[in-house]
Structure formats: C-alpha cells, structure tokens
Amino acid sequence: MSTPEQQISAAIQEAIAENEILLFMKGTPEAPRCGFSARTVAALEAVGAPFAAVDILPDPRIRQELSALSNWPTIPQLFVRGDLVGGADIVAEMYETGELAEVIGVEAPAGDAPAAAEPEAPPLTIENRLS
Amino acid sequence: MPTTDELKQRIETSIPGANADVVDLNGGGDHFRATVIAPEFAGLSRIEQHRRVYEVFGPDIGGPIHALSLVTRAEA
C-alpha cells in the first residue's frame, strides 16, 4: 500500500516522463495565479513551444512532493525531457539569451511577435488521478 | 518579517566570499530579488547556483520569504 503522498509523487514522476515540456505552475497557462508563473508561460509561448502544465495549487501536497523530487523549493518549475531546466528566473534568462529555444529544440523566433502556442495536451490535473 | 539586510547577511555568511545585493520587490518584506556573486559558483550550472542560495534559507523559502528571485554569477 502506498500513501497518498507516494501516489502524488508517482503521478508527478509519470507526468514528467510523459510530457516532453512540462511546466508546474500556480494556475493555468490561460489564467496564471502568480507573476512568476505568468512570466514563465509568456517565455514558453514566445519561443512557440507547445507545453503541458500542471497547476500545483489545488493540493499543497503536489508542491511538497514536487520540491522533494526536484530539490527545488519554488514554483514554477520547467521540465524538458525529464530534466529540471529551472524556475522563473532561469527560464527568463535563458529566453533572453536564446538558450531556451535551444534547449527546447525549436528555432528561435525570427520576428519579435510572440507566437501563441496551443498546449499539446490539456493541463494535467494530477489530483484527479487519486480519486 | 525578513529584511533585505538580513537576507544579504545570511547569504554572505553561508557562502564564503559571496557578495549579495538584495532588494525588496514590493516593499512588503516577502518578495525579494537577490543578485549573488560568489567564487564557488564557478563551474556550476545555473540550477546548481540557485540551489546553493536556496539552501541558505531552507524552509523559509515559501514560508516567511514568499518569493526569492535570483541572479547568480561566479564573477562580478
């Protein structure tokens, strides 16, 4: 028997493994609930990267288990192909330098008009897997 | 309520040779930005550099310190 925390942890690991680009954030890409999450979504949309997102707000245990796994205390957290790329500051810095597009594997946008990207999957709701 | 001086001191005490510049982002004493320059960051990835600074504060991050925005470098 696994505890609810272990189940959440397993669901998080599965989400990270299954989604090439995954953002753990407060709120949703359409309605971010924190400025840092909003900034990170904006950077991902600006490089035109389709991404999946998990809202950590519905259950405090999501953040707790995520931070335990990633050894990273704050939200948002961006994972690309299973690896933690960083939080809002690092993603913003990498966007400025063009590294974000590189890491994600898309061409850096030629123009300065940010392309709106459709998420490749609807935002995950990890807590629903537990009921 | 943590102050910018307290944060600066904690960073500089815990990371040898570090120079920290801390600002209170909204004047509320819970959202901060720290620019940290430390020789030991040389050769570390950004993630590792930020983790090192977060470690200084442990559970205070997400507690009294709601947000700590970071810029880290090995050299000025």
Side-chain angles (χ1 to χ4, degrees), chain B residues 30-45:
Chain B
D30 54 5
H31 286 68
F32 296 94
R33 174 187 296 279
T35 305
V36 185
I37 300 164
E40 71 175 63
F41 290 163
L44 298 185
S45 69

Side-chain angles (χ1 to χ4, degrees), chain A residues 46 107-113:
Chain A
E107 293 292 315
D112 51 7

Side-chain angles (χ1 to χ4, degrees), chain B residues 20-52:
Chain B
D21 185 27
V22 182
V23 293
D24 186 334
L25 287 177
N26 58 9
D30 54 5
H31 286 68
F32 296 94
R33 174 187 296 279
T35 305
V36 185
I37 300 164
E40 71 175 63
F41 290 163
L44 298 185
S45 69
R46 281 196 196 92
I47 293 225
E48 290 164 335
Q49 294 177 7
H50 286 213
R51 271 192 186 126
R52 183 71 186 86

Side-chain angles (χ1 to χ4, degrees), chain A residues 26 34 36 39 63 69-74 84-87 89-90 93-94 97 99, chain B residues 25 31-33 46-48 50-51 54-55 58 61-62 66-72:
Chain A
K26 292 182 179 176
C34 167
F36 297 99
R39 244 172 43 180
R63 177 181 181 159
L69 280 170
S70 62
N71 187 23
W72 193 260
T74 56
L84 176 65
V85 167
D89 297 319
I90 290 178
E93 213 176 308
M94 291 176 74
T97 60
E99 284 166 86
Chain B
L25 287 177
H31 286 68
F32 296 94
R33 174 187 296 279
R46 281 196 196 92
I47 293 225
E48 290 164 335
H50 286 213
R51 271 192 186 126
Y54 285 138
E55 271 170 18
I61 302 278
H66 178 83
L68 178 61
S69 181
L70 292 177
V71 178
T72 54

